[in-house]
Amino acid sequence: MEKGDRKRPIGVFDSGVGGLTVLRALRSQLPAEDFVYLGDTARVPYGTKSAKSVTRYALQAARVLVDRGIKQLVVACNTASAVALEALEAAYRPLPVVGVVEPGAEACCRLSVTGHVAVIGTEGTIRGGAYQRAIRRFRPDARIVARPCSLFVALAEEGWVRGELVEAIVARYLEPILGGGSPTRPDCLVLGCTHFPPLSDAIRSVAGAGVTLVDSAETTAVAVKNGLEIAGLLNAGGEGKTHFLATDGIARFCRVGEIFLGEPISPETVELVDL
Ligand code: DGL
């Protein structure tokens, strides 16, 4: 890529609207950049699908963004980052590709004092073991417990993110891995799914003050910024724009997306695409 490519947009994709938490962090780190965000709302959820299907979907979603001339690809979906990152890098080289697993694992290893950590995510993310491998790369002696928390995705999409019922569900999932007052209790919990940050308050109240929550959105945004800076591709100055693409249901994309982006999305800014 050349210096003139600085003006090109950054492509971000997710299985749906959850990746808007990552977009939010990216926009705050990189306010001058243009973004194209693709939510594969026709095929969400990825978390319950096989690695083979998720890889195929991820390659197709990335193709649409590559055709729009992006200078950087950000895989905001944890499931796609966990199973398809290498396939994406190989297919679109030399395009830089950043996923959310590596930055989340790095942050968790930096923040954990005891080296005993927990990871929660979708079935696909936890089953594939990508977080566990990434954590061990940064901290070979880490003790890791991991658990899929599939129902959290539906709760976040419904906007049910706090209250007694939500905390009861969160407790049911987390108690087996957070293990009461045991000395081997994890001191760090990785929110390894785009849909979990909106549930942070409920998770924090169940996990207690001794457990630090790690949201990979922030660390991913910093990793993208550093990468662009090193490559001389940072777009400085001006105010960036975001264009949204969805594969189904613009009205739902806007309604549910607002929960994750933290601001309204106007339907005129969302384009329906077929992969
Ligand atoms: N975006 C997915 C993830 O971060 C969660 C939703 C889904 O299962 O597609 O793993």
Side-chain angles (χ1 to χ4, degrees), residues 14-15 44-48 76-79 122 125 153 192-195:
D14 177 49
S15 55
V44 68
Y46 282 9
T48 51
C77 177
N78 286 257
T79 309
T122 64
T125 298
V153 172
C193 175
T194 50
H195 283 59

Side-chain angles (χ1 to χ4, degrees), residues 135-235:
I135 289 169
R136 288 227 164 76
R137 270 199 299 282
F138 291 108
R139 202 158 171 171
D141 63 336
R143 270 191 308 209
I144 310 164
V145 283
R147 179 148 209 224
C149 297
S150 308
L151 215 50
F152 289 9
V153 172
L155 288 176
E157 293 240 341
E158 281 299 307
W160 291 13
V161 293
R162 50 182 62 84
E164 235 173 83
L165 181 61
V166 175
E167 283 181 25
I169 295 169
V170 169
R172 178 83 182 253
Y173 277 107
L174 296 192
E175 267 157 15
I177 54 168
L178 292 181
S182 121
T184 56
R185 182 178 160 79
D187 68 350
C188 236
L189 174 65
V190 182
L191 307 181
C193 175
T194 50
H195 283 59
F196 298 177
L199 291 155
S200 290
D201 287 347
I203 294 173
R204 206 170 281 119
S205 87
V206 169
V211 181
T212 306
L213 303 191
V214 178
D215 168 3
S216 50
E218 291 300 329
T219 38
T220 301
V222 172
V224 171
K225 185 178 181 184
N226 291 342
L228 289 174
E229 200 155 24
I230 290 165
L233 286 171
L234 261 189
N235 190 15

Side-chain angles (χ1 to χ4, degrees), residues 105 108-109 112-119 131-145 187:
C108 154
C109 293
S112 172
V113 175
T114 61
H116 190 193
V117 302
V119 184
Y131 266 107
Q132 293 92 317
R133 284 192 297 280
I135 289 169
R136 288 227 164 76
R137 270 199 299 282
F138 291 108
R139 202 158 171 171
D141 63 336
R143 270 191 308 209
I144 310 164
V145 283
D187 68 350

